[in-house]
Amino acid sequence: MKIENAKAQMRKGVLEFCILSILSRGDAYASDIINELKKSELIVVEGTLYPLLTRQKNAGLLSYRWEESQQGPPRKYYELTDKGREVLQELTDSWNELVEAVNTLKTSVKNTAIKLTKDEGIN
Amino acid sequence: MKESIKVNLAGQLFDLDIDAYQHLKSYLDSLSLKFGSSPEEAEEIVADIEARIAELLMQRRTDIKQVINLDDVKEVTSQLGSAEEMDEGEQSMGNEDSSQEPGTSYSKGKKRFYRDTDNSVIAGVASGLAAYFNMDVIWVRLSFVGLVLINFILYTGPLVFNFGGVGLILYIVFWAIIPPANTTAQKLQMKGKAVNITNIQESVKEEFGKVKSNFKTMSDSKGYKNMQSGLSGFLNSFGEVLIAIIKFIGRFVGIVIIIALVITIVSVLAGGATLINFSWFNNWHLPDVEHLANFSIAGICLFLIIAIPIFALIIKLSKWIFGIKSRNRVAAGFAATIWVIALIAFIVMLASGINNNTFKNKHSKIERFSAPKENKLFVDVNTEYSGSSWIKRYQFFDHEFVYDDLRDHFLQHPKVSIYKTNSNDIKVEVIRSYNDVKVGRIDFPLSKRIKYNYRLEGNTLILDEYYVVDEAYIWRLPQVHIKIGIANSITTECSQRAHDLLNVNCSQQESRNKSFDTKRSKSIDSIATEEKEDILKELEKNI
């Protein structure tokens, strides 16, 4: 299994969560969200974002208003809705549980390994 | 010097090089295809992406460099990502293998049924069919025309089926069901080519080339006409004028027919009275129009009432079977309106008694004759009237309507019944059943409005073949019933004519092959006093 595939799989689950998180810090344009995600290397191409934004908007998690812009056509200015905040909270809880579970698993594996070597060492 | 194309992206105007335009168009087409499964979302997503593209392109535009070139488009589209690259945010579609060629197919050569509106004569139905079945368009067109002609040759069934028949109905059904191939992707699917980036690019180039060459042939032909010899030039323009005249006449006749139909519908709805006397149509020598309209209105309404829902069902079923999702609200609303109108018209017609049998007035006139010589009576028919050259006959299902074009009269066969009595004379009773109608400007007496005559010559009773009514009775033709009571002691014989034309049933000694000489002499004036009194009564009523 290629490494790139595994990474892509990990990213896929998380993008929607990240969009909601970014918006929870403040309202933003689509391009702002894109830049943040690019910085954290979570997306490579911008086009990934638009379908996700539209679907979340249609699901009632986001809303937007139009803002005029000097650099071109009017742009959508997104903000989180109450429903979006709820979903974000749930996803955050779920994420935390996941992280804790994985960390616990890693530590328990480590402890078991130390224990085994100790046992062998003492004897 | 290069040509450039003006493009509108999210409301911003851009000038693009031709190759840049083609690249951008195939990119946007591939996006519509990708999001094609959820069309409502797709529109919004693509619009957002277009807006972003516009933003990025504006940054590359300067006073020095006003036209967008291919490199610009390529950079912008790679920044936004190709259709597959965008998937990194969602469930994987199909293969995990990311080492695919850039020309990935989204759908491999699956042939879908579309109307080809680019190569259409009427609506692209034939072209679409030809593309789906991989045959030359000519054959499909010929078969449609053939189906239409067959119906004209074999005159069967209700009138309406003969306006083009099976061919026309099939064509209309196809027109309604099969959606047109609008986007490039759809056009490729119609022809059964794999829908991938390469094919889309080729298809876009092809369409573009076609538009260009059309422009070229137009400008060429103008120059070409100047070079044509005088004769062929004249023939050409003559032909064009002729075609224009034919089109105009066709439309004109069509409009006349439609107006006639609408007028009759309106006057039916106004309660069955004749608002309009159709005589003004006669000046145009179009008697066929009015009769068509009258006798077929009920038929057409009934047909529409039954046919439209059936049509709608057929179309719905077919769409469901073939999984076609196109919606045509305008056509559906139109059909629904027509159906409601037909229903209302039909109900009104039923209510106003066109098809039932109760008349408001019934008039009976009785005349008695003493027994003829030798107690023998012959019954014959006077067929003088039907020899006129201006008699027209129309067949509507099983009923024959006869019309006197010169005098605007209807002719109908009376009902004749003969029965035996215990008296010793002959009693002839003429019963006229009718509804009140204004005939012309003066009210004529009944005997002139519904004319029927008979005479007794010697021992032959000669009945008129027809009773004659003014066309004002057009909505509800009066009925005439002749009851002949013959004494038991008198033997009766009917001529073959009486039997054939009037359905006269002589229970005694039916002679099969005798025809009687009818002297064309003046009829004996045998108006009984009763009839005179009737005429006076009518006149009194009308004063």
Side-chain angles (χ1 to χ4, degrees):
Chain A
M1 198 169 69
K2 301 182 181 177
I3 290 289
E4 280 311 315
N5 262 356
K7 283 190 180 175
Q9 289 290 345
M10 287 177 82
R11 278 190 226 122
K12 272 175 196 174
V14 137
L15 265 179
E16 300 201 20
F17 179 32
C18 292
I19 293 176
L20 295 175
S21 301
I22 295 174
L23 281 175
S24 73
R25 290 188 244 130
D27 304 348
Y29 291 110
S31 44
D32 300 332
I33 305 179
I34 290 170
N35 289 334
E36 288 266 1
L37 292 173
K38 271 190 182 173
K39 262 195 293 186
S40 354
E41 287 184 18
L42 276 171
I43 62 170
V44 180
V45 290
E46 295 187 14
T48 315
L49 199 74
Y50 294 102
L52 291 179
L53 281 175
T54 304
R55 280 172 203 157
Q56 287 187 320
K57 188 262 304 176
N58 284 341
L61 306 178
L62 315 172
S63 68
Y64 65 82
R65 60 175 192 272
W66 291 101
E67 295 267 323
E68 297 291 332
S69 140
Q70 273 72 35
Q71 302 129 339
R75 297 189 288 171
K76 290 179 179 174
Y77 201 53
Y78 284 96
E79 64 179 13
L80 214 56
T81 63
D82 291 334
K83 187 171 175 198
R85 260 176 261 277
E86 275 177 41
V87 172
L88 174 61
Q89 188 55 51
E90 291 209 21
L91 286 179
T92 316
D93 293 340
S94 161
W95 173 259
N96 291 336
E97 285 168 17
L98 204 64
V99 168
E100 210 186 298
V102 172
N103 282 340
T104 317
L105 206 65
K106 279 198 300 187
T107 345
S108 76
V109 169
K110 200 166 128 192
N111 287 342
T112 319
I114 295 175
K115 190 161 173 269
L116 280 173
T117 46
K118 258 193 182 168
D119 286 343
E120 286 175 12
I122 288 180
N123 281 1
Chain B
M1 188 181 75
K2 285 162 52 174
E3 290 178 44
S4 72
I5 304 190
K6 276 197 189 333
V7 160
N8 170 356
L9 278 170
Q12 310 291 312
L13 193 59
F14 292 96
D15 288 305
L16 268 62
D17 280 340
I18 294 187
D19 46 4
Y21 167 82
Q22 287 169 343
H23 197 273
L24 184 59
K25 182 158 201 304
S26 37
Y27 177 73
L28 290 172
D29 280 346
S30 71
L31 288 184
S32 326
L33 183 68
K34 175 189 168 62
F35 298 118
S37 48
S38 44
E40 304 86 24
E41 279 188 353
E43 229 182 279
E44 205 175 338
I45 298 175
V46 173
D48 282 347
I49 294 181
E50 261 196 39
R52 180 65 179 152
I53 295 179
E55 230 178 17
L56 295 170
L57 286 179
M58 281 190 80
Q59 295 167 3
R60 292 163 190 277
R61 202 164 56 174
T62 64
D63 287 333
I64 311 172
K65 176 176 162 290
Q66 296 170 342
V67 175
I68 307 290
N69 59 37
L70 184 60
D71 286 332
D72 294 325
V73 173
K74 277 189 175 167
E75 283 177 29
V76 169
T77 52
S78 70
Q79 183 175 350
L80 278 161
S82 74
E84 300 112 331
E85 291 171 325
M86 285 188 197
D87 283 337
E88 59 188 344
E90 5 185 355
Q91 308 289 320
S92 51
M93 297 168 64
N95 317 349
E96 287 286 312
D97 190 5
S98 50
S99 61
Q100 265 179 337
E101 298 294 325
T104 335
S105 6
Y106 304 116
S107 62
K108 281 213 163 94
K110 176 181 159 202
K111 214 164 204 181
R112 303 191 96 208
F113 215 157
Y114 283 109
R115 281 191 282 129
D116 190 354
T117 39
D118 288 337
N119 298 322
S120 72
V121 173
I122 304 177
V125 168
S127 313
L129 275 168
Y132 191 72
F133 291 119
N134 241 329
M135 57 167 90
D136 204 339
V137 197
I138 287 286
W139 299 117
V140 184
R141 292 207 171 115
L142 278 179
S143 25
F144 268 119
V145 173
L147 282 171
V148 168
L149 283 180
I150 283 182
N151 260 83
F152 274 120
I153 297 173
L154 315 166
Y155 180 104
T156 49
L159 193 72
V160 192
F161 270 121
N162 287 310
F163 287 126
V166 184
L168 189 68
I169 293 183
L170 262 182
Y171 196 90
I172 293 180
V173 171
F174 279 135
W175 192 340
I177 300 178
I178 304 178
N182 284 328
T183 72
T184 322
Q186 287 174 332
K187 289 179 191 169
L188 283 174
Q189 283 176 325
M190 173 174 69
K191 294 179 190 153
K193 295 195 188 152
V195 187
N196 51 41
I197 299 283
T198 352
N199 276 352
I200 290 183
Q201 282 176 336
E202 260 182 49
S203 181
V204 169
K205 279 194 194 139
E206 214 181 278
E207 285 169 46
F208 190 72
K210 253 193 231 164
V211 173
K212 257 184 120 178
S213 62
N214 278 346
F215 264 49
K216 256 193 154 189
T217 45
M218 265 176 62
S219 47
D220 273 356
S221 68
K222 275 191 187 150
Y224 193 67
K225 270 190 180 156
N226 291 336
M227 292 196 316
Q228 273 178 342
S229 68
L231 180 63
S232 48
F234 173 75
L235 280 178
N236 258 338
S237 36
F238 184 73
E240 285 176 13
V241 171
L242 198 63
I243 291 178
I245 290 180
I246 291 178
K247 280 190 186 170
F248 176 73
I249 290 181
R251 279 184 207 144
F252 184 68
V253 168
I255 291 179
V256 165
I257 292 180
I258 290 180
I259 291 180
L261 284 176
V262 169
I263 289 178
T264 40
I265 290 182
V266 165
S267 40
V268 165
L269 291 176
T274 6
L275 289 179
I276 294 165
N277 203 342
F278 276 105
S279 55
W280 53 277
F281 268 119
N282 282 341
N283 295 336
W284 300 355
H285 299 287
L286 293 173
D288 291 337
V289 175
E290 54 184 276
H291 300 299
L292 210 67
N294 294 323
F295 303 135
S296 305
I297 282 289
I300 289 181
C301 281
L302 196 60
F303 173 72
L304 284 176
I305 290 176
I306 298 176
I308 289 187
I310 292 183
F311 251 106
L313 256 173
I314 292 179
I315 291 180
K316 259 239 159 86
L317 263 174
S318 317
K319 282 195 186 173
W320 175 72
I321 291 177
F322 296 111
I324 298 168
K325 283 187 188 163
S326 64
R327 263 182 246 165
N328 203 336
R329 295 219 177 110
V330 176
F334 188 62
T337 318
I338 290 190
W339 186 82
V340 170
I341 292 180
L343 188 67
I344 294 179
F346 190 68
I347 291 178
V348 168
M349 275 195 275
L350 280 183
S352 66
I354 284 195
N355 288 323
N356 64 29
N357 265 325
T358 52
F359 287 97
K360 287 200 192 124
N361 305 318
K362 206 164 181 178
H363 169 87
S364 157
K365 185 185 77 190
I366 298 177
E367 193 181 344
R368 287 177 190 273
F369 301 99
S370 47
K373 281 187 293 183
E374 296 160 27
N375 268 345
K376 244 194 153 196
L377 180 68
F378 299 116
V379 179
D380 194 12
V381 182
N382 171 10
T383 56
E384 281 177 14
Y385 209 141
S386 49
S388 314
S389 55
W390 40 78
I391 299 294
K392 298 218 161 118
R393 293 165 201 276
Y394 301 94
Q395 195 76 23
F396 184 63
F397 291 115
D398 58 344
H399 198 128
E400 197 198 31
F401 290 93
V402 186
Y403 186 70
D404 178 347
D405 201 10
L406 185 69
R407 304 185 189 89
D408 296 334
H409 287 155
F410 281 105
L411 284 67
Q412 292 278 286
H413 285 133
K415 180 175 170 197
V416 178
S417 38
I418 300 184
Y419 58 97
K420 291 292 170 187
T421 65
N422 287 328
S423 62
N424 52 7
D425 59 2
I426 299 174
K427 172 184 168 191
V428 179
E429 182 182 4
V430 177
I431 305 172
R432 292 172 165 87
S433 310
Y434 60 99
N435 283 339
D436 289 320
V437 161
K438 240 191 158 79
V439 176
R441 295 191 197 100
I442 308 168
D443 286 330
F444 296 123
L446 186 64
S447 56
K448 284 206 176 165
R449 282 189 271 151
I450 306 172
K451 273 188 265 186
Y452 188 77
N453 291 315
Y454 57 88
R455 60 183 191 267
L456 186 63
E457 270 181 18
N459 50 8
T460 310
L461 178 63
I462 304 176
L463 306 167
D464 273 1
E465 183 188 2
Y466 293 109
Y467 63 92
V468 181
V469 277
D470 187 274
E471 64 167 3
Y473 285 104
I474 204 167
W475 296 111
R476 209 49 218 302
L477 289 179
Q479 286 176 9
V480 171
H481 186 180
I482 303 168
K483 286 186 179 167
I484 308 176
I486 306 180
N488 261 320
S489 50
I490 304 175
T491 47
T492 320
E493 257 186 61
C494 300
S495 69
Q496 184 62 24
R497 277 198 298 206
H499 188 266
D500 292 339
L501 296 172
L502 292 180
N503 255 330
V504 176
N505 199 354
C506 292
S507 42
Q508 288 178 335
Q509 299 171 330
E510 269 185 22
S511 54
R512 289 269 151 187
N513 43 15
K514 296 254 178 89
S515 64
F516 300 92
D517 280 317
T518 48
K519 283 191 201 162
R520 309 237 164 168
S521 56
K522 278 198 184 154
S523 59
I524 301 166
D525 193 355
S526 61
I527 296 180
T529 23
E530 284 165 285
E531 197 185 357
K532 276 204 183 115
E533 280 174 22
D534 289 332
I535 298 180
L536 282 173
K537 269 193 217 146
E538 290 287 339
L539 283 172
E540 279 173 27
K541 240 202 298 177
N542 296 326
I543 285 174

